């Protein structure tokens, strides 16, 4: 019988993947772990007057009842999250949200991940692997020490390509260089998936377009409720307005208006700066 | 000619004027988020109650969607018996402090009041509010059940789930728990109350009032689960698997509609839902003490003219906008908002840009809104709704400068639960189809009510639906 219980969302394990910048949390949330699929995200809040922020579910363990998130410290909420440790609880954890990744058996899938997006990409790649697809992973970061999830990806991807901007590891250059080459060499690619910064996803879509291959991107538009009630997360896809939280967050990358998304992400820049500065001051940073 | 049945008991007594309700002066209140209408004092309430004629055939009750025995509760007030009055109201209405504040009384009870035929109707809403507020000092169980009665023992074996925590679900939960049924409420957001907390602003309905009504349920041993999304965290079929005997769906009609005109995704164009949710649920009026930011607007244009539009406009005034305009295709007389809210908005300096319809939003290079192009309209023949249809005046366009646009032109059904439950039959507008007398959906023992059935409506009609479903569920589970 299904049990209706929601223990406090306690952090069971914390790993500082990139100290001071990116961490991974394993959180006790059996009711969410039970339902979470690749592509889903959670919305969390860590303080009574705190903001609701969306974070991708990077992994789940339904047996253990845990969900894993990986975040990049960008502003006040993520900085405050970084102050929490094992044993602390997350005030509100809501999910799983968003549509799950549409996974079909298509043969070879190229999964491209950039920066913190590698974590989310990893969960999608795992889904493709479980469905019997051959997953080629291409990951990129500015420098070797900013790479994530390479061991996990290596464990199930027959091929893992690494790119760094400074050449400290793997190919010196962009993920799109490798993607371009693969698409040229291999005409059997069933799908390209890209998760990462908006300019990276836009570039992947640009590269993939001439090859006419299905290209899925995961959009990180600004969200408030995450359940389709505010319209904050709207994006233009194929000329139509879609709500990233309920229609997405994954969309056909060839149809997305990345330029508009990029602009909309700047809507609250001045307020975000105020928030973060005040927080830093009050935390002696 | 007055109907003899309804002839006043003491004829020829001149009708006393309605007792005005004290409000915060407009100049003060635009600088804060405190409640605008302050409520009656005891003397004012007694004086107003005294105006009621105690009609033999009271028309007021028929005007009330949940049929509060208005005449009876006012009679108790005439004898200064507040607990008695409260018990009478509570016999049909579980959220009187809310209803006394937000119901459109002028078209419901007060619209029907017989006194209104000659002079001003009895201020029934204000008396309801006075009764509820005054009684609130008592314990929550007494709130639910009337003074002197204790809570019914809760039977853990009879479980009912309510999805959503707006007025429809809260009413359903209140009714069922008062019959001894164990209720769990599943709310997707982190706060309970639905539109009452994330939509209607603090200055019209303080959160503490909603919290009090919610606490009354908690004391009735209702389990209140926040951050649970019906259709995502839990599905309807899974609730039955978990032992629930019936499910009430009260998820509201939250998906905002947009105008579908060019420029709508510019930065600075918001749905009223987003704007109000940031401010109310996110407490953005306290930013940066609260983390959720709101968007500052100097020149604000609000599209639509219902309660939602008024709330958005008055919120913008309080957040420091220099000029706030309500842009509406028809004229002031056709505006659907409660009259009190429209009057308050105008007192607070909100301008009405009537007979104007938006054509296009104009932005700058960085994607920020600069202005909106409006089409001038005139009123033509009445349409199906009986209101005169707005018709564009050829080639008469003008530009209204604005850096914040708030769109309040209605909502559609929220897709999350409906997509996850394809067995739920919908009507042609996409709302849940129910049996009108019981509220039951096409799924056995699954009931629905409120905005998800009717489309955006009122608090009291949502409550009426919650109550009807609750009565039917109790009848089935307990052979009542
Ligand atoms: C579906 C989805 C999944 C995401 N998954 C991850 C993830 O797995 N790991 C991760 O590190 N980040 C993820 N993000 C981005 C993450 O939500 C933001 O980094 C976070 O909200 C920043 O909050 P802050 O208060 O620390 O910073 P802020 O100071 O508020 O903002 C910093 C920047 O983050 C972005 N941002 C701000 N608020 C929001 C918001 N409410 N929603 C989305 N973006 C916002 C803006 O671009 C802003 O410039 C995801 C976003 C979405 C929409
Ligand atoms: C700004 C504004 C002002 C208004 N002013 C007035 C007024 O003055 N007078 C008046 O009578 N009416 C007014 N209304 C209308 C009134 O508030 C609504 O008609 C009423 O709240 C509808 O009640 P409900 O129970 O159907 O749903 P709602 O109040 O909409 O509540 C639904 C709840 O369900 C939750 N939910 C949604 N989906 C899910 C899911 N899948 N799982 C779990 N939970 C979910 C939502 O988060 C929400 O909390 C106003 C509405 C708004 C938006
Ligand atoms: S409120 Fe109006 S209609 Fe109702 S009993 Fe009093 S006078 Fe009559
Ligand atoms: S975040 Fe509110 S609709 Fe998507």
């Amino acid at each position: 019988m299904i049990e209706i219980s929601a223990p406090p969302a306690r952090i069971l394990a914390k790993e500082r993947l990139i100290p001071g910048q990116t961490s991974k949390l394993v959180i006790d949330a059996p009711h969410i772990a039970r339902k979470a699929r690749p592509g889903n995200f959670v919305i969390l809040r860590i303080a009574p007057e705190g903001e609701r922020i969306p974070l991708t579910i990077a992994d789940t363990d339904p047996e253990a009842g845990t969900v894993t998130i990986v975040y990049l410290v960008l502003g006040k909420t993520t900085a405050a999250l970084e102050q929490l440790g094992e044993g602390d609880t997350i005030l509100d954890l809501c999910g799983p949200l968003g549509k799950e990744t549409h996974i079909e058996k298509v043969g070879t899938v190229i999964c491209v991940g950039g920066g913190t997006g590698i974590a989310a990409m990893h969960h999608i790649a795992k889904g493709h692997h479980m469905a019997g697809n051959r997953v080629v992973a291409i990951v990129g970061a500015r420098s070797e020490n900013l790479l994530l999830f390479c061991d996990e990806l290596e464990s199930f991807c027959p091929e893992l390509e690494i790119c760094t901007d400074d050449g400290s590891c793997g190919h010196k250059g962009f993920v799109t260089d490798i993607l371009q080459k693969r698409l040229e060499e291999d005409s059997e690619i069933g799908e390209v998936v890209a998760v990462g910064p908006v300019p990276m996803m836009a570039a992947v879509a640009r590269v993939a377009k001439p090859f006419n291959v299905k290209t899925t991107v995961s959009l990180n538009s600004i969200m408030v409720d995450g359940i389709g009630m505010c319209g904050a997360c709207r994006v233009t896809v194929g000329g139509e307005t879609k709500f990233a939280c309920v229609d997405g967050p994954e969309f056909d990358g060839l149809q997305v208006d990345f330029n508009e998304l990029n602009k909309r992400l700047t809507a609250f820049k001045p307020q975000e700066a105020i928030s973060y500065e005040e927080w830093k001051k009050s935390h002696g940073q | 000619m007055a109907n003899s049945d309804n002839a006043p008991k003491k004829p020829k007594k001149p009708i006393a004027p309605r007792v005005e309700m004290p409000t915060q002066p407009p100049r003060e209140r635009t600088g804060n988020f405190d409640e605008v209408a302050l409520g009656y004092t005891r003397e004012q309430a007694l004086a107003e109650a005294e105006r009621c004629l105690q009609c033999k055939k009271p028309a007021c009750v028929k005007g009330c969607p949940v049929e509060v025995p208005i005449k009876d509760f006012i009679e108790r007030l005439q004898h200064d018996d507040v607990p008695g009055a409260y018990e009478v109201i509570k016999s049909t209405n579980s959220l009187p402090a809310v209803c006394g504040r937000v119901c459109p009384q002028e078209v419901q009870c007060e619209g029907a009041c017989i006194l209104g035929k000659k002079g001003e109707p009895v201020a029934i809403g204000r008396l309801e509010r006075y009764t509820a507020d005054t009684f609130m000092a008592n314990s929550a169980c007494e709130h639910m059940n009337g003074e002197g009665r204790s809570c019914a023992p809760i039977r853990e074996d009879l479980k009912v789930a309510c999805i959503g925590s707006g007025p429809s679900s809260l009413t359903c939960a209140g009714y069922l728990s008062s019959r001894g049924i164990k209720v769990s409420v599943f709310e997707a957001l982190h706060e309970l109350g639905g539109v009452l907390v994330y939509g209607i602003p603090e200055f019209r309905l303080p959160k503490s009032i909603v919290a009090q009504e919610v606490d009354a349920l908690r004391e009735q041993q209702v389990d209140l689960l926040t951050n649970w999304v019906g259709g995502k965290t839990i599905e309807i079929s899974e609730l039955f698997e978990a032992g629930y005997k019936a499910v009430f769906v009260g998820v509201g009609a939250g998906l905002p509609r947009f105008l579908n005109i060019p420029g709508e995704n510019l930065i600075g164009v918001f749905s009223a839902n987003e704007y109000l949710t940031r401010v109310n649920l996110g407490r953005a009026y306290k930013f940066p003490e609260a983390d959720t930011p709101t968007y500052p607007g100097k020149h604000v244009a609000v599209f639509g003219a219902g309660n939602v539009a008024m709330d958005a406009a008055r919120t913008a005034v309080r957040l420091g906008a220099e000029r706030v305009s309500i842009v509406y295709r028809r004229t002031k007389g056709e505006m659907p908002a409660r009259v009190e809210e429209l009057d308050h908005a105008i007192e607070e300096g909100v301008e009405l840009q009537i007979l104007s319809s938006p054509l296009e939003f104009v932005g700058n290079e960085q994607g920020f809104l600069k202005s909106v192009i409006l089409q001038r309209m005139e009123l033509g023949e009445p349409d199906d709704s009986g209101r005169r249809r707005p018709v564009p005046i050829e080639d008469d366009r003008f530009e209204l400068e604005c850096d914040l646009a708030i769109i309040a032109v209605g909502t559609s059904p929220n897709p999350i639960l409906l997509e996850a439950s394809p067995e739920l039959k919908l009507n042609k507008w996409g709302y849940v189809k129910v049996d009108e007398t019981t509220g039951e959906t096409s799924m056995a023992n699954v009931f629905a009510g409120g905005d998800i059935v009717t489309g955006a409506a009122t608090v009291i009609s949502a409550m009426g639906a919650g109550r009807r479903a609750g009565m039917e569920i109790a009848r089935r589970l307990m052979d009542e």
Side-chain angles (χ1 to χ4, degrees):
Chain A
M1 192 158 107
I2 288 168
E3 209 190 318
I4 307 284
S5 72
R10 197 177 295 282
I11 299 171
L12 300 179
K14 173 166 188 168
E15 193 182 331
R16 291 174 199 272
L17 301 175
I18 305 166
Q21 192 200 300
T22 304
S23 287
K24 172 172 127 179
L25 302 180
V26 179
I27 306 167
D28 184 26
H31 59 301
I32 301 178
R34 190 170 66 80
K35 302 284 284 182
R37 303 288 176 269
N40 287 150
F41 63 95
V42 289
I43 290 242
L44 59 76
R45 218 168 61 109
I46 54 175
E49 303 270 290
E51 192 172 9
R52 297 167 63 89
I53 65 157
L55 294 169
T56 307
I57 296 173
D59 210 350
T60 60
D61 185 338
E63 233 105 274
T66 60
V67 295
T68 301
I69 55 170
V70 175
Y71 58 88
L72 173 69
V73 175
L74 261 186
K76 174 169 178 181
T77 311
T78 45
L81 186 60
E82 184 61 3
Q83 303 255 305
L84 300 185
E86 280 168 25
D88 290 334
T89 51
I90 309 255
L91 183 62
D92 295 296
L93 185 70
C94 178
L97 298 169
K99 288 209 157 67
E100 63 184 87
T101 307
H102 182 77
I103 292 177
E104 266 181 85
K105 195 153 180 231
V106 289
T108 302
V109 176
I110 301 186
C111 293
V112 188
T116 321
I118 304 172
M121 180 277 263
H122 151 262
H123 200 207
I124 301 173
K126 196 165 150 187
H128 275 290
H129 163 72
M130 308 275 256
N133 287 320
R134 186 185 137 80
V135 179
V136 175
I138 307 176
V139 300
R142 267 177 290 126
S143 183
E144 180 174 18
N145 60 338
L146 302 179
L147 286 164
L148 301 172
F149 277 79
C150 288
D151 294 344
E152 286 89 337
L153 285 165
E154 205 139 47
S155 72
F156 62 81
C157 297
E159 284 176 67
L160 170 65
E161 301 270 9
I162 293 174
C163 313
T164 48
D165 295 2
D166 62 2
S168 49
C169 180
H171 166 77
K172 181 176 191 300
F174 294 130
V175 286
T176 39
D177 307 340
I178 309 274
L179 175 68
Q180 172 91 30
K181 221 167 76 209
R182 292 303 300 237
L183 287 169
E184 279 164 6
E185 283 164 5
D186 189 345
S187 57
E188 299 292 288
I189 307 291
E191 184 175 347
V192 173
V193 176
V195 191
V198 176
M200 184 211 93
M201 292 191 287
V204 165
R206 243 189 338 264
V207 167
K209 195 161 197 153
F211 296 93
N212 201 18
V213 53
K214 184 179 172 200
T215 305
T216 303
V217 293
S218 178
L219 303 185
N220 58 328
S221 56
I222 291 183
M223 295 187 175
V224 179
D225 60 311
I227 54 168
M229 292 194 321
C230 73
C233 61
R234 60 197 197 276
V235 289
T236 302
V237 182
E240 265 182 71
T241 293
K242 297 277 180 193
F243 288 10
C245 69
V246 287
D247 301 320
E250 287 166 26
F251 292 99
D252 176 356
L254 306 183
Q255 306 277 331
V256 170
D257 184 340
F258 286 106
N259 186 23
E260 179 187 275
L261 174 63
N262 222 359
K263 283 182 182 161
R264 285 184 65 83
L265 282 170
T266 65
F268 292 95
K269 274 271 170 340
Q271 291 94 321
E272 283 156 4
I274 294 171
S275 228
Y276 201 15
E277 284 315 310
E278 295 231 340
W279 185 87
K280 282 191 203 158
K281 251 189 260 151
S282 65
H283 285 76
Q285 294 188 5
Chain B
M1 276 289 108
N3 180 324
S4 64
D5 270 352
N6 274 321
K9 275 185 279 182
K10 294 169 224 152
K12 304 273 142 48
K13 194 172 92 175
I15 302 175
R18 191 170 150 115
V19 179
E20 278 313 313
M21 179 155 54
T23 55
Q24 262 200 81
R27 288 173 133 240
E28 250 166 62
R29 71 190 192 226
T30 51
N32 65 50
F33 272 80
D34 299 341
E35 198 167 10
V36 167
L38 300 173
Y40 279 157
T41 60
R42 173 166 168 265
E43 288 66 35
Q44 288 169 325
L46 287 173
E48 183 60 28
E50 212 38 62
R51 293 180 66 231
C52 172
L53 305 170
Q54 290 295 307
C55 309
K56 284 217 184 78
K57 285 190 183 159
C60 49
V61 179
K62 293 215 181 60
C64 172
V66 297
E67 297 187 9
V68 168
I70 292 164
K71 173 184 160 182
D72 301 347
F73 103 75
I74 297 182
E75 193 203 352
R76 303 284 195 291
L77 283 186
Q78 288 175 342
H79 299 111
D80 201 9
D81 173 13
V82 171
Y86 189 80
E87 188 169 354
V88 171
I89 300 175
K90 270 288 199 178
S91 69
T92 68
N93 182 336
S94 53
L95 308 172
V98 173
C99 287
R101 287 174 166 78
V102 303
C103 272
Q105 289 99 2
E106 67 267 17
V107 296
Q108 298 180 357
C109 51
E110 293 177 15
C113 170
I114 285 160
L115 202 59
K117 299 223 159 48
K118 289 239 174 93
E120 289 171 300
V122 175
I124 302 168
R126 296 174 186 173
L127 291 176
E128 183 181 27
R129 170 182 166 155
Y130 166 79
T131 307
D133 287 0
T134 309
F135 190 77
M136 279 297 182
N138 291 14
S139 96
C141 259
E142 286 167 333
H143 283 184
M144 294 300 309
N145 290 342
E147 218 196 357
R149 282 189 250 150
S150 59
C151 290
I154 298 293
R155 291 181 49 182
E156 299 279 340
D157 60 320
L158 288 185
K159 295 199 295 177
V160 174
C162 294
I163 308 180
S165 69
S168 65
S169 275
L170 293 184
T171 303
C172 185
Y175 182 83
L176 290 171
S177 60
S178 78
R179 325 298 306 158
I181 292 172
K182 179 79 189 171
V183 183
S184 308
V185 172
F186 295 87
E187 166 59 48
L189 297 174
H190 59 262
E191 232 172 279
L192 298 151
V195 169
L196 308 181
V197 297
Y198 75 76
I200 303 180
E202 185 76 12
F203 55 81
R204 208 146 72 73
L205 178 63
K207 310 252 167 334
S208 57
I209 298 285
V210 182
Q212 261 166 337
E213 311 267 28
V214 168
D215 278 343
L217 293 179
R218 202 171 272 128
E219 226 162 279
Q220 283 279 110
Q221 298 173 50
V222 172
D223 280 336
L224 299 161
L225 295 114
T226 47
N227 303 309
W228 279 72
V229 188
K232 290 280 178 194
T233 321
I234 188 98
E235 275 155 50
I236 292 178
S237 56
E238 293 172 326
L239 287 167
F240 287 106
E241 285 171 44
Y244 290 91
K245 304 276 188 274
V247 175
F248 177 79
V249 175
V251 294
L255 193 79
R257 280 207 215 126
F258 286 89
L259 298 162
N260 297 319
I261 59 173
E264 203 150 29
N265 291 346
L266 287 165
I267 302 172
V269 183
F270 288 79
S271 76
N273 266 11
E274 178 180 355
Y275 189 69
L276 291 170
T277 303
R278 284 180 176 278
V279 177
N280 296 321
L281 187 72
R283 315 284 196 267
Y285 57 91
K286 293 194 218 160
F287 182 87
E289 286 100 85
D291 296 347
T292 306
T294 180
Y295 195 81
K298 244 196 215 154
H299 297 155
V300 182
V302 181
F303 299 86
N307 288 323
V308 185
M310 298 303 148
D311 284 345
R314 298 173 67 198
T315 296
V317 168
R318 282 163 177 73
L319 290 173
E322 281 169 19
R323 204 187 67 224
V324 179
S325 317
I326 297 237
V327 181
Y328 185 51
R329 299 186 295 164
R330 295 184 163 97
T331 66
K332 192 177 159 197
E334 286 86 32
M335 292 192 170
R338 289 181 76 214
V339 171
E340 181 177 319
E341 308 314 332
L342 177 58
D343 290 348
H344 281 164
I346 292 170
E347 279 170 26
E348 289 164 11
V350 171
E351 294 168 25
L352 303 183
Q353 182 68 57
I354 57 164
L355 293 169
S356 314
S357 176
L359 291 176
E360 182 179 353
F361 291 110
V362 184
N364 68 14
E365 267 299 291
Q366 287 72 42
F368 287 82
L369 175 71
K370 281 194 326 197
S371 66
V372 56
I373 313 263
L374 299 175
Q375 162 77 56
R376 258 195 237 284
M377 314 291 281
E378 61 191 345
L379 288 185
E381 294 302 306
D383 62 11
D384 296 345
S385 71
R387 298 181 303 176
R388 289 176 64 193
R389 186 199 309 272
V391 207
I393 305 173
E394 198 82 29
D395 292 331
D396 193 350
R397 298 174 174 191
F398 64 107
E399 197 166 346
L400 178 71
E401 205 184 301
C402 61
D403 52 2
L404 172 57
I406 304 172
I407 298 172
V409 295
T411 51
S412 316
N414 186 296
I416 290 191
L417 182 74
L418 307 185
E419 278 179 9
S421 327
E423 314 91 307
L424 271 184
K425 288 224 171 68
L426 308 181
N427 65 22
K428 65 175 168 186
W429 300 279
Y431 296 98
V432 176
K433 215 174 177 167
V434 298
D435 175 322
E436 272 178 30
T437 49
T438 61
E440 192 168 24
T441 65
S442 54
M443 290 171 81
N445 292 321
V446 176
F447 297 76
D451 286 2
I452 193 58
V453 168
T454 55
T458 57
V459 172
I460 193 76
S461 64
M463 290 174 56
R467 187 177 155 80
R468 270 195 304 283
M471 286 164 84
E472 177 65 15
I473 294 171
R475 195 184 63 73
R476 290 193 195 177
L477 296 190
M478 311 180 80
D479 289 327
E480 276 192 354

